[in-house]
Amino acid sequence: MAELSGRVALVTGGGRGIGRAVALSLAAAGADVAVAARSDKELAETVEAIRLTGRRGEAVRCDVGDRQQVDAMVARVRKALGDPLILVNNAGVAASAKLTETTDEMWDGMLRINATGAFYCTRAILPLMRQARWGRVVSIASVASKVGGPYLAAYAASKHALLGLTRAVAAEVASQGITVNAVCPGYVDTAMTDASTANISAKTGRSPQEARAVLEHFSPQGRLMTAAEVAALTTFLCSGAAEGINGQGLVLDGGAVQS
Ligand code: NDP
């Protein structure tokens, strides 16, 4: 178990799914945890669960694609909990479409939230990490950060950008006690994957069970990954034991993507 007592973490997209699991895992390791997203109700539920672990929690409504909201979020977390020296860039959106049917809005939205949002958050918090000479940035990227796939142009472009950001910042801060890494999951059993299943059903006429099986078979393990697995790896990357791991995009997909 990682020992994160005395640390403050900020998890974007912490209201549900992977972000919620990460927030609770960091709290179980001893960190006080702020969660940010756009849905107040989900954030409030996560904070209640964080507080049940005995740690402090703070909910902040924020659209990570809006720089002013990100700056206000960081100020609010500092005031409520202290400097967040652990940042988990998890907030993200997904949609699939043929390239010729990918609208400007889809393209801009995925780039803005998945890539620019992580840039805004990392840029706002990095000076605090530098000052402390300690910091951990973990971005929840995707196997789509490493490989392309049909109908995923905007999502894959945004996630490749996120991994590029990760690698470049990791190189920039390597000598300053800060590590910057990405976790690159395959399909994870969350609401986002439920939406992908529904989309496959609607477009192909497959039953929901058949559509889910399609996604399960992207992994040679024949299953979806779990949010708990992503959270455990993320928490490990925040620990002292992971100090030497920097600039990596660690794939968590049962072995389909090997790079
Ligand atoms: P969910 O849709 O279940 O959760 C996404 C979270 O991000 C929600 O809390 C959502 O809250 C928040 N969010 C979305 N847009 C914004 C925004 N503009 N500002 C702040 N918060 C935002 O997805 P998952 O938990 O499945 O995914 C989490 C991350 O993991 C994403 O980055 C995703 O791309 C990545 N990932 C997911 C995989 C999967 O199969 N599920 C596989 C690989 C990577 P709200 O809508 O209230 O703002």
Side-chain angles (χ1 to χ4, degrees), residues 12-20 36-40 42-43 62-65 89-94 112-114 140-144 155 159 162 183-193 196 227 230:
T12 67
R16 63 174 184 266
I18 293 169
R20 184 180 201 274
R38 297 165 301 178
S39 310
D40 291 328
E42 290 181 346
L43 289 176
C62 174
D63 178 343
V64 296
N89 289 312
N90 164 80
V93 289
R112 183 176 65 81
I113 296 172
N114 297 351
I140 309 302
S142 169
V143 287
Y155 186 71
K159 291 294 186 177
L162 181 56
V183 176
C184 300
Y187 284 103
V188 182
D189 194 2
T190 68
M192 183 179 276
T193 296
S196 302
V230 181

Side-chain angles (χ1 to χ4, degrees), residues 127-193:
L128 306 176
M129 296 179 176
R130 279 209 172 99
Q131 204 171 23
R133 296 201 68 79
W134 192 91
R136 294 283 184 269
V137 181
V138 182
S139 293
I140 309 302
S142 169
V143 287
S145 298
K146 301 214 166 186
V147 293
Y151 318 133
L152 288 177
Y155 186 71
S158 71
K159 291 294 186 177
H160 273 64
L162 181 56
L163 184 55
L165 170 74
T166 299
R167 287 170 167 160
V169 179
E172 193 173 316
V173 300
S175 66
Q176 298 171 40
I178 303 167
T179 67
V180 186
N181 291 291
V183 176
C184 300
Y187 284 103
V188 182
D189 194 2
T190 68
M192 183 179 276
T193 296

Side-chain angles (χ1 to χ4, degrees), residues 110-125:
M110 274 183 268
L111 268 290
R112 183 176 65 81
I113 296 172
N114 297 351
T116 308
F119 162 64
Y120 287 155
C121 293
T122 307
R123 186 178 62 180
I125 291 176

